[in-house]
Amino acid sequence: MYVILVYDVKQQRVGKLLKLCRRYLHWIQNSVFEGEISDVKLQELLLQAASFLDKEEDSILLFKSRTEQWLEKQVWGRERSPLGSFL
Amino acid sequence: MYVILVYDVKQQRVGKLLKLCRRYLHWIQNSVFEGEISDVKLQELLLQAASFLDKEEDSILLFKSRTEQWLEKQVWGRERSPLGSFL
């Protein structure tokens, strides 16, 4: 499946989470990752994240779609990472 | 259509952008909004944002889907705003 992952975590844990997410997904903007991932791999990512994140302070938001085709992406402004279409 | 909007803008412009986005979409996490919006209204939002954002420094990332049904949302950790499903 295709996922968009947006994290909101305390500064001191950002580096570790970035490194972890990069092993599974593509970084597209500041705190946003996307990519094709299996359910098993996604659970693996979340389990590892849970081992060092603080459930009371940090959060990870996931949007899952069966296919990337169902989503159109656009970027306004500064481009961080190449994407399909631009405004 | 249904959109997810993620912004990455300089601190001094965050307040103004938050206020603007709230007039069109629902806030779900730190820099993330979602909601049903027409193409016209979305262009209106972006035009207004463009009037005070800096295209070299700030960015707005949009994911558009014809329907919200195609996306499953999940939150890990701290809940900021009510969502349909949780890990």
Side-chain angles (χ1 to χ4, degrees):
Chain A
M1 86 199 133
Y2 169 78
V3 303
I4 300 163
L5 182 156
V6 190
Y7 65 76
D8 179 13
V9 309
K10 273 272 163 84
Q11 192 57 44
Q12 63 262 41
R13 292 182 286 272
V14 165
K16 208 166 173 181
L17 187 59
L18 265 172
K19 216 171 146 185
L20 173 66
C21 289
R22 275 195 170 127
R23 289 195 354 240
Y24 294 87
L25 298 164
H26 308 288
W27 179 70
I28 42 172
Q29 195 206 55
N30 196 19
S31 54
V32 189
F33 283 81
E34 67 160 0
E36 278 294 327
I37 191 168
S38 69
D39 256 319
V40 172
K41 285 285 170 192
L42 183 59
Q43 288 312 313
E44 199 179 287
L45 189 169
L46 291 171
L47 264 175
Q48 286 180 73
S51 72
F52 63 85
L53 292 184
D54 182 329
K55 239 181 158 145
E56 305 300 312
E57 288 192 321
D58 305 325
S59 71
I60 291 178
L61 192 52
L62 286 167
F63 297 93
K64 305 175 179 180
S65 172
R66 221 179 311 159
T67 161
E68 191 177 349
Q69 258 70 61
W70 289 348
L71 278 179
E72 185 194 342
K73 281 164 279 174
Q74 290 192 319
V75 180
W76 180 95
R78 180 179 172 192
E79 188 194 350
R80 295 293 181 93
S81 173
L83 273 179
S85 60
F86 298 91
L87 293 180
Chain B
M1 85 200 134
Y2 168 78
V3 303
I4 299 163
L5 181 156
V6 190
Y7 65 76
D8 179 14
V9 308
K10 273 273 164 82
Q11 193 56 44
Q12 64 262 39
R13 293 182 285 273
V14 165
K16 208 165 172 181
L17 187 60
L18 265 173
K19 216 171 147 183
L20 173 65
C21 289
R22 276 196 168 127
R23 288 195 353 241
Y24 292 88
L25 297 163
H26 308 288
W27 179 70
I28 42 173
Q29 195 206 52
N30 196 17
S31 54
V32 189
F33 283 81
E34 66 160 1
E36 279 293 327
I37 191 169
S38 69
D39 257 319
V40 172
K41 284 283 169 194
L42 183 59
Q43 288 312 313
E44 198 179 287
L45 189 170
L46 290 171
L47 264 175
Q48 287 179 74
S51 72
F52 63 84
L53 291 185
D54 182 329
K55 238 179 159 147
E56 305 301 313
E57 289 192 319
D58 306 325
S59 72
I60 291 177
L61 190 53
L62 285 168
F63 297 93
K64 305 174 181 182
S65 173
R66 221 179 311 157
T67 160
E68 191 176 348
Q69 258 71 61
W70 289 347
L71 280 179
E72 185 193 340
K73 281 163 280 173
Q74 291 192 317
V75 180
W76 180 93
R78 180 179 172 191
E79 187 192 351
R80 295 295 182 90
S81 171
L83 273 178
S85 59
F86 299 90
L87 294 179

